[in-house]
Amino acid sequence: MAAVLLAASLGNGNGSDTGGSERGPLRLVASEAKPLPAPIQGESVVQVPGGPLILGGLDAEGASAGGVFQLSAGSPREVGSLVEPLHDAAAVRLGTRVLIFGGGQEASTSAVQSLSIPAAGAAATAIAAGTLPTPRSDLSAVAIGDTAYILGGYDGNSPLSSILATTNGSAFSRVGGLPVPARYLAAAALGGRVYAFGGETASGAPTDAIRAFDPRSGSAQVVGHLPVAVAHASAVALDGALFLLGGETQTGPTTAIWRFEPGGSVAAAGRLPRPIANGAAVLSGGSAYLLGGVGAGAETLPTVIRLRPRRVTPAWPKANASTASSPPFTGKLMIADRGNNRLLVVNAGKRVLWRYPSAAHPAPPGGFYFPDDAFFTDHGTGIISNEEQNERIVQLGFPSGKLQWSFGHPGVTGSEPGYLHEPDDAYLLADGNVSVADAQNCRILLIAPSKRILRTFGDPSECTHEPPRRLGSPNGDTPLADGNILVSEVNGSYIDEITRTGKLVWTVQLPIEYPSDPQQLGPDRYLVADYSRPGGIYEFTRAGRILWSYHPSSGPGMLNHPSLAERLPSGLIAANDDYRDRVVIIDPHRKRIVWQYGRTGEPGTGPDHLKIPDGFDLLAPNGATPTHPFTG
């Protein structure tokens, strides 16, 4: 996608579309407008007086287009032509001109074209304005003031990292470099900085990286991660937030709309009416528009999607209510119901969709006992679970329940090769290996599919804090985007980040009683549960500063030994409340429980009943696992 993105809304919108409570989260409400007369993808779009200009692209037959069209009152008219047909270029408006950078036909081009903004009813034909330092297609461009910034793209061999700046389209300077080079990334500007989302890396796979570039200092860094890797998306800046629209995930085009607030986090912010990738977005009249693109069946689309901002105050019911006007999650929620020795999969309406073991899905040899955690794997076609006091890790097919792999000896503890002692948080990693916190052996293991131990952090003979050589009873080993591991040590209440090669990145001692299963929310923002009574949930920095907490000391909101807390795509926080026999979802702004499965303090096996639930995981409708996107 040629990402054509503006720093602020152009046009004469007065913001009246936002509506609702200004305290609520900002979402985009999508609707289909009058379609284009012909399908298009990979085009560039720029807002100018009179309506957006649509430049180039690929038509339904896959041929490059050379026309320039202006979209006015929902109907496009041809106003000119490019110097030559092209697609996957990038364009911005600078003053009275539109500059079109790079792009390609059979090969990437370095050409820069200039187009005078057409007056009403007038024609506008592009002319050659200069050349980029190297050929560049599949790139993005953003205008801040009188300067255009060009980033990402492809030179015919590999993705480009250089960030270029120009004020005229003929002279360019290198002003920075992307920390994760990619093509087909989405970019937008906000607050004087340029943000780049996702994109396709050299391997051909999409990335989830969010980078920020500061033109004043020339620094660029990764400032967050999307819940799912995506390329060919579009981005816009609107009302102080950045929105990512659609795109191509590893499972195909998506309908997702994500909101990113600099210094904050990523949250779901609406849905497109259909999956779309490789379109182009523009702001006009207080709304965003997504034009053209590719649909789920790889067909080129003529669609025009209008996206109007709305501030929506969540209207979810109190815990234990039977219905909700807006569910706290979409997809399937799996619960490791430890005290009942079972796994349940439920939806937001609390209907049980699947249970294990069952008559249809019998337990494996050695039984199924004490599932401490369970996570979806392989795009929702499998499950990995650590049976903590059965001393085993199992991988199961989903929904078949068939045993696919195991490690450990049921009911037998040990530290010798092939043995475990209270395994915790087993993850299937993206490379096919398995990581696990072998808690009572005071170590983290990386295990190959062949069951060979690839690496050990910690020493079973010394359970003290000296990471990574020694660890004090680790109970969490969360995989991070860069392959590092986030470890929680019960002894001493430490959190550590360790590389896969065994280097300590940082460590901090938290002022809580029992840290459990830490998660990363941002570049220096982490979430952890305090497994105690009354327990709590805390957001903290690497320096140990507490940024947010939830820890009622009594009443229905009090937590009794919460073991895992994770932020959902909705921005809400889900947690196991182990010894109150429930999984809860908390509104972090109001610090209130807005949904729960399980009746508070009433253990059982019937509908809406749990017994000491100790793990959960969310499977999104597209097969993604948004709370642990960096796993297998």
Side-chain angles (χ1 to χ4, degrees):
M1 182 205 70
V4 186
L5 306 152
L6 307 180
S9 177
L10 302 176
N12 56 8
N14 57 15
S16 60
D17 278 345
T18 56
S21 169
E22 289 301 309
R23 293 185 298 274
L26 187 65
R27 298 172 61 85
L28 297 182
V29 178
S31 60
E32 297 209 32
K34 181 180 178 181
L36 301 171
I40 194 75
Q41 62 162 302
E43 76 278 25
S44 301
V45 181
V46 178
Q47 173 70 8
V48 300
L53 293 181
I54 304 171
L55 310 113
L58 289 170
D59 63 20
E61 283 70 46
S64 297
V68 177
F69 294 82
Q70 187 161 35
L71 189 62
S72 179
S75 299
R77 64 182 181 89
E78 190 166 8
V79 295
S81 61
L82 300 173
V83 174
E84 58 180 357
L86 52 78
H87 62 272
D88 291 318
V92 298
R93 173 187 172 184
L94 289 184
T96 60
R97 293 191 302 160
V98 173
L99 296 177
I100 306 102
F101 303 102
Q105 294 182 26
E106 297 299 323
S108 302
T109 178
S110 59
V112 180
Q113 303 181 43
S114 175
L115 183 77
S116 295
I117 295 174
T125 300
I127 61 172
T131 57
L132 295 163
T134 59
R136 204 165 183 138
S137 61
D138 316 333
L139 67 161
S140 301
V142 175
I144 300 179
D146 61 359
T147 303
Y149 296 93
I150 298 96
L151 61 162
Y154 182 69
D155 64 2
N157 294 303
S158 59
L160 296 166
S161 63
S162 59
I163 301 173
L164 307 178
T166 184
T167 58
N168 53 23
S170 58
F172 295 85
S173 57
R174 189 185 190 282
V175 293
L178 288 175
V180 183
R183 59 199 287 203
Y184 302 120
L185 53 79
L190 186 67
R193 304 176 82 192
V194 179
Y195 293 87
F197 299 85
E200 183 180 303
T201 60
S203 69
T207 176
D208 58 16
I210 303 172
R211 311 80 147 178
F213 168 66
D214 187 344
R216 293 161 292 190
S217 65
S219 65
Q221 58 185 327
V222 174
V223 294
H225 296 277
L226 298 166
V228 63
V230 66
H232 297 277
S234 303
V236 290
L238 188 60
D239 283 10
L242 295 157
F243 293 89
L244 190 72
L245 313 174
E248 181 93 12
T249 70
Q250 290 182 327
T251 58
T254 178
T255 61
I257 300 174
W258 301 104
R259 181 183 70 250
F260 173 73
E261 297 181 1
S265 58
V266 181
R271 286 280 179 185
L272 299 174
R274 63 176 71 197
I276 296 177
N278 209 34
V282 68
L283 293 168
S284 179
S287 292
Y289 292 85
L290 181 61
L291 310 181
V294 176
E299 78 280 14
T300 302
L301 301 172
T303 51
V304 176
I305 308 297
R306 183 183 183 188
L307 300 126
R308 291 173 290 181
R310 287 284 188 271
R311 289 197 179 273
V312 181
T313 300
W316 302 313
K318 295 181 180 179
N320 286 327
S322 59
T323 61
S325 59
S326 182
F329 65 88
T330 58
K332 300 172 181 177
L333 185 72
M334 177 168 57
I335 301 171
D337 192 12
R338 189 188 85 188
N340 285 322
N341 299 317
R342 66 180 183 176
L343 303 178
L344 293 180
V345 174
V346 304
N347 62 16
K350 302 186 183 181
R351 183 166 68 92
V352 175
L353 307 176
W354 184 83
R355 58 172 50 86
Y356 179 88
S358 67
H361 313 297
F368 188 71
Y369 174 66
F370 213 100
D372 179 73
D373 292 284
F375 300 103
F376 286 107
T377 66
D378 301 305
H379 304 289
T381 63
I383 291 169
I384 188 169
S385 179
N386 48 281
E387 301 173 86
E388 183 175 307
Q389 291 189 10
N390 202 26
E391 317 303 343
R392 181 173 62 169
I393 304 166
V394 294
Q395 291 186 41
L396 309 170
F398 179 75
S400 71
K402 183 179 178 181
L403 179 65
Q404 298 175 334
W405 183 89
S406 68
F407 184 92
H409 297 263
V412 182
T413 64
S415 59
E416 300 80 11
Y419 288 82
L420 301 167
H421 192 178
E422 294 193 7
D424 208 341
D425 276 20
Y427 286 99
L428 178 63
L429 304 178
D431 59 9
N433 298 316
V434 169
S435 69
V436 67
D438 192 13
Q440 294 305 314
N441 281 324
C442 297
R443 62 186 181 180
I444 303 292
L445 298 178
L446 296 183
I447 308 167
S450 64
K451 304 186 182 182
R452 181 170 64 92
I453 303 299
L454 301 175
R455 188 169 292 276
T456 302
F457 307 117
D459 183 347
S461 66
E462 296 190 59
C463 296
T464 59
H465 173 71
E466 191 183 329
R469 195 163 73 92
R470 298 185 180 94
L471 298 172
S473 295
N475 74 335
D477 58 308
T478 308
L480 301 180
D482 55 8
N484 293 352
I485 300 171
L486 194 62
V487 176
S488 51
E489 295 181 75
V490 175
N491 297 350
S493 298
Y494 288 97
I495 307 293
D496 321 308
E497 183 178 341
I498 300 172
T499 70
R500 291 279 289 273
T501 58
K503 179 182 177 182
L504 179 66
V505 181
W506 58 271
T507 184
V508 67
Q509 187 175 33
L510 293 179
I512 63 177
E513 185 174 334
Y514 191 121
S516 183
D517 300 0
Q519 311 292 316
Q520 185 169 21
L521 302 181
D524 189 19
R525 196 178 191 100
Y526 302 86
L527 183 72
V528 70
D530 182 9
Y531 186 72
S532 59
R533 176 190 171 96
I537 301 169
Y538 297 85
E539 293 185 12
F540 64 97
T541 68
R542 295 183 182 186
R545 184 165 67 93
I546 302 299
L547 303 174
W548 175 90
S549 64
Y550 175 89
H551 55 96
S553 59
S554 62
M558 187 268 285
L559 304 178
N560 186 357
H561 287 81
S563 58
L564 170 64
E566 294 184 324
R567 187 169 58 199
L568 303 179
S570 60
L572 303 176
I573 292 176
N576 292 312
D577 190 12
D578 291 28
Y579 285 96
R580 298 195 89 178
D581 305 300
R582 59 183 180 170
V583 172
V584 300
I585 296 180
I586 299 164
D587 181 335
H589 301 291
R590 295 185 292 165
K591 296 189 176 183
R592 291 178 56 189
I593 295 173
V594 295
W595 184 94
Q596 74 179 53
Y597 189 91
R599 298 187 183 181
T600 306
E602 297 181 19
T605 59
D608 198 23
H609 277 84
L610 301 169
K611 183 179 180 182
I612 317 177
D614 209 15
F616 68 89
D617 194 24
L618 180 64
L619 180 65
N622 65 356
T625 50
T627 60
H628 54 99
F630 316 119
T631 57

